[in-house]
Amino acid sequence: DRFVGNLTVLVGADGQSASGDETERVEPLTVDNTLWANTVVCGGHATGLVIYTGTETRVAMNADPPKSKVGKVDMEINTLAK
């Protein structure tokens, strides 16, 4: 199950906006042209497309709150103190 897709953009004669004289520019949707979460574009511009890939992705699975790091001795003392 591999995603294969393209983004078709209508580009005007000035290279920016679509206006009457537009041409199609097709860009593949691959890892080579992907901006990951929290990416900052310092110069230029970016056209964005959001694709929901589900909850079983690396980012979603690592989004759980961090577990408390407690040593075994502390856990044993807490058990005895109760």
Side-chain angles (χ1 to χ4, degrees):
D1 295 333
R2 186 174 161 214
F3 175 79
V4 177
N6 292 316
L7 174 66
T8 303
V9 181
L10 293 177
V11 180
D14 60 357
Q16 298 291 322
S17 59
S19 60
D21 265 356
E22 58 235 359
T23 58
E24 281 188 359
R25 189 175 82 202
V26 179
E27 294 289 332
L29 299 175
T30 64
V31 174
D32 294 335
N33 55 13
T34 301
L35 295 175
W36 300 105
N38 301 322
T39 299
V40 176
V41 178
C42 292
H45 63 278
T47 301
L49 173 68
V50 177
I51 301 172
Y52 178 71
T53 56
T55 57
E56 293 189 10
T57 59
R58 182 179 296 175
V59 172
M61 294 174 80
N62 287 335
D64 293 337
K67 296 182 174 119
S68 177
K69 294 182 180 178
V70 180
K72 289 182 181 181
V73 173
D74 291 330
M75 289 175 59
E76 186 67 28
I77 291 172
N78 286 340
T79 304
L80 294 173
K82 291 182 183 178

